[in-house]
Amino acid sequence: DPAMEAVDVLSGVQPTGQAHIGNYLGAFKTWVELQDSRRCFYCIVDLHAITVPWDPAELRENLYDTTAILLAAGVDPERCILFRQSDIPEHTELCWLLSGVCAHGDLNRMTQFKEKSAQQKDLVSAGIFIYPLLQAADVLAYQADEVPVGEDQRQHIELMREVARRFNERFGETFTIPEHRIPEIGARVMDLQEPGRKMSTSVGFDSGRVYLLETEKETRKKLGSAVTDSGREVKRGEGKEGVANLIGIYAVATGKTEDEVEAEFEGAGYGDFKKAVADAVVEFLAPVREAYPAIREDEGEIERILADGAAKAREIASVTLADVREAMGVGVPRG
């Protein structure tokens, strides 16, 4: 379908190194599926990672871990453009240029800024305030049509669209206005111990998240002790957030619908259901877990893949930047 070919998708991932099943089901699985029908840009956002306290050596390790996980999960550098954010200076330049058309009040309203700044004890970094603007630059630099991210990023996507619209109104049609694309099931995998909250590496305890690279035994233990409720029915509904979360996870791991899962476990107890979820998740993650070690070991090859992706990404981003500079009257004029 030639119309499909014209759609560009950009998505980014933080190099935390500790990817969990929420990242996989909410993002990586979609990334792999999109490679064949779209032109995809996948960016490991190491510049975003320095908005919260970090250790330099750990950041590099985490970047390799994250890249290796993506490759093990089936992200294919031959079918997408996979790159490290900091290799593309156009991202930071565009972030600054966009700050000229972004309102301070808009950044101030971001709920993620409020949440994250509340967690920063010693220093609330300016980076955490500007973060959504850098995110806008990440996408707008490639004229991406779609941004497949979870529901929690909706506000940031709205800001990105607003900034692009404002720029186009003032300086002429320069940017594609990107669309938010939420994956159907599994976009919001919740914490196993606190199912009212999204699974996350930055909040909660290890027992609440299933890591892609942990042992099979650890995965089974965590899913076995996942919070449910005092009822017995494997059904979604009021006060059944824990069970609903497990139904969603099982559905994605087995390729079934949530209705089919409820029908399958009608009359079964939570114990049997949790064991079935653990079996399905272990089997689902096995290919990634098996492929990872050999990929991670070869850092030279990871660097080669990232450099290759950066060269392709810069070719596109530099064209956007030249247009933006010209429109804004910055730098050497054309012709």
Side-chain angles (χ1 to χ4, degrees):
D1 182 355
M4 296 260 280
E5 282 304 323
V7 176
D8 288 348
V9 170
L10 183 130
S11 210
V13 60
Q14 289 254 17
T16 55
Q18 281 282 55
H20 53 70
I21 193 167
N23 304 129
Y24 187 37
L25 300 185
F28 306 162
K29 187 172 175 289
T30 310
W31 290 17
V32 173
E33 287 160 5
L34 287 174
Q35 298 178 120
D36 291 324
S37 61
R38 306 278 197 271
R39 181 164 72 157
C40 295
F41 297 86
Y42 296 142
C43 178
I44 298 149
V45 294
D46 54 340
L47 296 176
H48 284 296
I50 64 169
T51 60
V52 292
W54 83 99
D55 171 85
E58 218 169 86
L59 178 57
R60 286 199 189 282
E61 287 297 308
N62 288 349
L63 183 116
Y64 290 137
D65 292 348
T66 303
T67 309
I69 286 171
L70 290 175
L71 296 168
V75 169
D76 178 4
E78 297 300 313
R79 291 185 292 156
C80 68
I81 298 178
L82 176 67
F83 63 101
R84 170 172 41 208
Q85 185 187 28
S86 60
D87 289 344
I88 319 289
E90 284 80 3
H91 286 238
T92 41
E93 183 182 347
L94 184 56
C95 174
W96 178 255
L97 294 171
L98 292 176
S99 73
V101 292
C102 178
H104 178 273
D106 286 347
L107 291 172
N108 224 1
R109 269 198 296 279
M110 298 291 125
T111 45
Q112 285 215 359
F113 168 67
K114 289 172 186 152
E115 286 164 14
K116 286 183 176 171
S117 55
Q119 291 167 17
Q120 295 194 356
K121 303 285 178 280
D122 305 326
L123 171 101
V124 177
S125 74
I128 209 148
F129 185 69
I130 302 162
Y131 180 106
L133 203 52
L134 179 57
Q135 199 176 16
D138 296 338
V139 174
L140 298 176
Y142 301 97
Q143 305 289 3
D145 303 280
E146 284 183 6
V147 192
V149 285
E151 177 61 48
D152 62 315
Q153 292 290 323
R154 183 182 288 280
Q155 213 189 7
H156 287 181
I157 306 294
E158 276 311 312
L159 179 87
M160 186 184 296
R161 288 166 58 85
E162 180 56 28
V163 165
R165 274 195 295 265
R166 245 182 242 163
F167 191 99
N168 289 351
E169 275 163 23
R170 181 158 175 207
F171 300 108
E173 289 301 312
T174 308
F175 291 119
T176 302
I177 313 281
E179 296 288 336
H180 188 189
R181 183 180 192 285
I182 300 179
E184 301 305 312
I185 303 183
R188 268 181 90 76
V189 177
M190 311 309 271
D191 189 289
L192 298 177
Q193 293 303 318
E194 296 178 61
R197 204 193 52 229
K198 200 177 131 173
M199 192 180 283
S200 162
T201 34
S202 52
V203 278
F205 298 99
D206 268 0
S207 56
R209 40 189 179 250
V210 171
Y211 292 114
L212 295 190
L213 302 177
E214 68 192 13
T215 64
E216 184 181 315
K217 193 177 163 194
E218 285 173 303
T219 298
R220 289 185 185 281
K221 187 179 171 201
K222 287 174 184 179
L223 288 164
S225 58
V227 166
T228 47
D229 55 68
S230 56
R232 278 191 57 76
E233 287 191 286
V234 178
K235 273 203 172 335
R236 295 158 292 173
E238 193 65 37
K240 296 182 77 76
E241 292 84 0
V243 174
N245 187 37
L246 294 175
I247 290 172
I249 291 171
Y250 184 79
V252 179
T254 55
K256 294 173 180 164
T257 67
E258 296 185 334
D259 290 340
E260 285 169 348
V261 176
E262 288 182 351
E264 183 182 341
F265 290 96
E266 199 173 334
Y270 289 161
D272 290 344
F273 175 54
K274 284 177 172 181
K275 189 182 175 309
V277 177
D279 288 343
V281 168
V282 164
E283 192 182 330
F284 181 67
L285 295 179
V288 181
R289 288 175 171 174
E290 282 159 20
Y292 175 83
I295 296 170
R296 176 62 184 86
E297 207 172 273
D298 193 349
E299 288 180 2
E301 177 60 8
I302 292 174
E303 278 296 348
R304 189 198 65 72
I305 287 168
L306 291 174
D308 193 40
K312 292 177 192 162
R314 278 206 79 178
E315 250 174 60
I316 293 153
S318 61
V319 173
T320 303
L321 259 289
D323 291 345
V324 169
R325 286 168 144 252
E326 181 67 14
M328 292 180 85
V330 171
V332 180
R334 278 189 182 144

